[in-house]
Amino acid sequence: MTPAGSLLAAHDLHKAYGPTHALDGAGFSIHPGEIVAVMGPSGSGKSTLLHCLAGIVTPDSGSITYNGLEMATMNDSRRSALRRSEFGFVFQFGQLVPELTCVENVALPLRLNGTSRKEAERTALTWMERLEVDDLAAKRPGEVSGGQGQRVAVARSLVTGPRVLFADEPTGALDSLNGERVMELLTDAARSTNAAVVLVTHETRVAAYSDREVVVRDGRSRDMERVV
Ligand SMILES: Nc1ncnc2c1ncn2[C@@H]1O[C@H](COP(=O)(O)OP(=O)(O)O)[C@@H](O)[C@H]1O
Ligand SMILES: [Mg+2]
């Protein structure tokens, strides 16, 4: 069953790795433009849930629908086309290509979709300006700080205009000041483009940037009432 109006919804997901039940009946749904924090202790199944929602990992059972379409009915090339055109990704570390400059990194998803270099780098720069890293365009990832690198990664995740941004512990490797700045810029950019954000985090301070929180524990999820 898909909750009315949801862009991406999952129901009763199960995923086992050998004896480990990473997901044990988890559900999830998100509306267009909504920012949902997925919280829970380490090992509870947050990343597995995100990977299933993004079509990176196939659950053993359960249903996932994107725009009302059942993911399990899509073949691999359809699912990877969906990831390239509709989804954006930010992870905790190691996501920038070290041999490329920052602007080349941000332009990469557009280049992979067949956009010319000039056009891709022009669009990349507008995103780098929004994330306040346009002055780093010619630098390589090894020459920028952790917080700057994460802002470059956020620019790259948004450059194709995704409908859903998947962020797995995006501030996990940053100090709190840089983490807050990344979250402010990420959520402003997502709100301005009406991208939904699936934000995996174990930090309450990061979850505070969301509209709603879901808690995952032992592979099961539940909506959390926020006390304001
Ligand atoms: N590829 C994998 N192979 C084996 N076990 C895995 C794999 N991915 C996750 N797990 C296990 O599944 C459980 C949930 O992991 P994960 O979803 O990464 O949790 P979280 O992101 O909440 O820390 C953990 O016990 C983890 O060790
Ligand atoms: Mg994780």
Side-chain angles (χ1 to χ4, degrees):
M1 208 180 63
T2 302
S6 59
L7 175 63
L8 181 61
H11 182 66
D12 200 19
L13 297 182
H14 289 259
K15 177 74 187 177
Y17 292 105
T20 305
H21 291 272
L23 293 179
D24 190 18
F28 184 83
S29 77
I30 192 166
H31 285 75
E34 195 181 20
I35 301 180
V36 179
V38 177
M39 302 199 65
S42 176
S44 58
K46 304 181 298 295
S47 294
T48 306
L49 176 62
L50 180 146
H51 293 149
C52 287
L53 292 168
I56 297 169
V57 163
T58 305
D60 300 332
S61 66
S63 118
I64 302 171
T65 55
Y66 177 71
N67 252 335
L69 272 179
E70 181 63 49
M71 291 251 213
T73 65
M74 299 177 197
N75 61 25
D76 283 352
S77 69
R78 179 75 213 289
R79 257 201 301 274
S80 56
L82 184 72
R83 279 199 299 275
R84 273 203 312 274
S85 61
E86 310 271 307
F87 296 166
F89 295 91
V90 183
F91 297 106
Q92 187 173 347
F93 335 85
Q95 49 198 336
L96 298 174
V97 181
E99 294 82 7
L100 300 180
T101 64
C102 287
V103 71
E104 286 167 347
N105 266 283
V106 177
L108 191 60
L110 293 171
R111 297 285 288 136
L112 294 174
N113 284 348
T115 308
S116 72
R117 170 184 287 269
K118 196 173 161 202
E119 177 64 21
E121 293 193 359
R122 198 186 57 76
T123 307
L125 268 176
T126 65
W127 279 101
M128 293 179 81
E129 277 166 28
R130 294 178 77 156
L131 275 299
E132 300 175 0
V133 284
D134 48 311
D135 53 327
L136 306 175
K139 292 207 187 300
R140 284 176 212 282
E143 300 171 304
V144 308
S145 74
Q148 289 168 335
Q150 259 332 46
R151 276 145 56 190
V152 172
V154 173
R156 184 176 67 177
S157 74
L158 290 167
V159 77
T160 56
R163 303 323 306 146
V164 187
L165 175 59
F166 292 95
D168 196 349
E169 307 276 3
T171 64
L174 304 178
D175 61 50
S176 58
L177 199 65
N178 277 301
E180 299 262 333
R181 193 72 192 123
V182 165
M183 284 312 302
E184 275 168 22
L185 291 163
L186 184 157
T187 49
D188 280 357
R191 291 203 191 281
S192 73
T193 58
N194 204 37
V197 182
V198 180
L199 171 65
V200 167
T201 181
H202 61 270
E203 292 179 80
T204 317
R205 213 178 34 234
V206 173
Y209 286 88
S210 70
D211 300 318
R212 185 158 64 82
E213 293 172 28
V214 169
V215 179
V216 180
R217 226 173 260 280
D218 299 329
R220 284 182 293 272
S221 53
R222 63 181 173 80
D223 287 332
M224 196 159 91
E225 295 296 328
R226 185 178 278 173
V227 182
V228 184

